[in-house]
Amino acid sequence: MKHRFSIWRYFLDGAPEYLARHYWWAYLWKPAIWFFDHQPIINCILFGQYQRLLDQTLKQLDGHLAGRLLQLTCVYGKLTPKLVKTRHNDALYIVDVCQEQLQASLRKLKPAEQDHLIATRMNAENLAFSNDSFSTVLIFFLMHELPARARKNVLLETLRVLTPGSRLLITEYGYLPDKHWIYRFAPLRQQLLFWEPFLDGFWREDLTEELQKAASHWNKKITLKQKKLVFNGFYRVVCYQVD
Ligand SMILES: C[S@@+](CC[C@H](N)C(=O)[O-])C[C@H]1O[C@@H](n2cnc3c(N)ncnc32)[C@H](O)[C@@H]1O
């Protein structure tokens, strides 16, 4: 069958179709990886809330840094270097389906720190780690970029690799922010949903309920331990215990 030329197909190369189709310009195209990884750009995308979100994420992780720590997919900004600095006798595991993203994460580290980052190309929907192999998993702004089916798969895999007694930390958009000025200002909401086509589905999903379903699949249970709303609930940082 003949396909019309579409630029995103060029970026498929092992990436999930949703990622190539909707986010090639943000994560898979080399100039974009350079462009977006600048603090003013990141801050602009997050409506000036980046530092608060980073601080809250690191604060909630504090005290849960012992044992194996997995960062589920690369992120722009300072998170990965900050996490690596906490891994004194240990390593931070990081996975991403895009090799250039993993290389960009490694480039942010000093040579001596690079030994403390185990970066592996992997699809988060199908992790090549054993069951119960991590004490902490951190997911920073990944969930809203996934279609519903992929979100379910990622949560299932996350709950599979988390050991009983472990922590899951998720930094994300909050629940449907229909009272927030950004949501109420239709042109802005439409722009946001144009660039983030799966955000509306994520907004309307009960994250805790989805996590409970994923946990019970593996005969585990999750308990919400901490929840911090940022920017009047437009964003959230949530920490769950897995048993
Ligand atoms: C964490 S998310 C969004 C990060 C956020 N916008 C930021 O930079 O702060 C972006 C990353 O997820 C990766 N990604 C998306 N879907 C994936 C999947 N199924 N498996 C592994 N990596 C994935 C992309 O390649 C990209 O590097």
Side-chain angles (χ1 to χ4, degrees):
M1 195 173 94
K2 273 199 176 171
H3 289 301
R4 273 190 305 131
F5 172 76
S6 15
I7 193 165
W8 64 268
R9 289 183 194 282
Y10 170 79
F11 294 93
L12 272 171
D13 184 33
E17 185 183 319
Y18 67 82
L19 183 63
R21 191 188 273 269
H22 299 286
Y23 288 108
W24 66 267
W25 53 272
Y27 300 121
L28 305 179
W29 187 38
K30 273 190 194 169
I33 298 175
W34 171 83
F35 174 77
F36 283 106
D37 211 355
H38 287 89
Q39 219 47 64
I41 310 282
I42 301 168
N43 221 21
C44 199
I45 292 169
L46 291 172
F47 296 99
Q49 302 301 310
Y50 178 74
Q51 195 58 48
R52 286 182 70 199
L53 288 160
L54 180 70
D55 291 347
Q56 275 306 323
T57 303
L58 294 172
K59 196 169 154 194
Q60 291 206 22
L61 266 181
D62 204 21
H64 304 291
L65 289 163
R68 295 220 312 174
L69 169 61
L70 169 65
Q71 182 189 319
L72 210 56
T73 80
C74 296
V75 294
Y76 293 132
K78 304 176 274 192
L79 177 66
T80 307
K82 293 240 180 230
L83 286 178
V84 167
K85 281 197 187 347
T86 67
R87 312 308 288 160
H88 305 297
N89 303 313
D90 222 331
L92 168 67
Y93 289 75
I94 190 167
V95 301
D96 201 286
V97 80
C98 172
Q99 192 65 33
E100 274 80 23
Q101 288 285 353
L102 293 165
Q103 278 160 0
S105 295
L106 279 162
R107 276 198 301 275
K108 289 182 203 174
L109 305 177
K110 297 191 180 112
E113 293 173 334
Q114 290 184 354
D115 291 344
H116 293 272
L117 186 68
I118 301 180
T120 317
R121 188 177 187 203
M122 225 180 265
N123 189 329
E125 292 184 68
N126 195 1
L127 294 173
F129 295 116
S130 324
N131 293 0
D132 303 342
S133 51
F134 285 95
S135 316
T136 310
V137 172
L138 167 61
I139 311 180
F140 194 87
F141 282 102
L142 171 68
M143 303 311 297
H144 74 279
E145 292 184 347
L146 306 174
R149 185 71 253 163
R151 273 203 300 275
K152 282 194 172 38
N153 292 340
V154 168
L155 292 184
L156 269 172
E157 280 297 85
T158 303
L159 268 297
R160 181 181 68 74
V161 301
L162 277 166
T163 191
S166 60
R167 296 277 157 156
L168 169 60
L169 210 124
I170 302 182
T171 301
E172 255 304 344
Y173 284 87
Y175 186 72
L176 188 72
D178 50 358
K179 304 272 184 301
H180 199 281
W181 66 268
I182 292 178
Y183 188 92
R184 294 171 73 102
F185 185 47
L188 197 49
R189 180 177 73 239
Q190 281 154 9
Q191 269 304 306
L192 191 57
L193 293 178
F194 175 78
W195 296 108
E196 303 278 15
F198 307 113
L199 175 58
D200 195 55
F202 177 73
W203 266 341
R204 291 162 197 279
E205 210 168 74
D206 183 334
L207 180 61
T208 303
E209 202 177 293
E210 291 303 314
L211 281 164
Q212 261 148 6
K213 283 186 215 157
S216 62
H217 182 89
W218 303 109
N219 289 325
K220 294 176 183 172
K221 70 181 179 70
I222 56 138
T223 317
L224 180 62
K225 285 290 178 187
Q226 280 190 71
K227 176 177 179 172
K228 175 76 187 172
L229 299 181
V230 175
F231 199 31
N232 294 328
F234 198 70
Y235 301 113
R236 62 184 136 176
V237 183
V238 281
C239 183
Y240 295 90
Q241 177 160 325
V242 178
D243 291 296

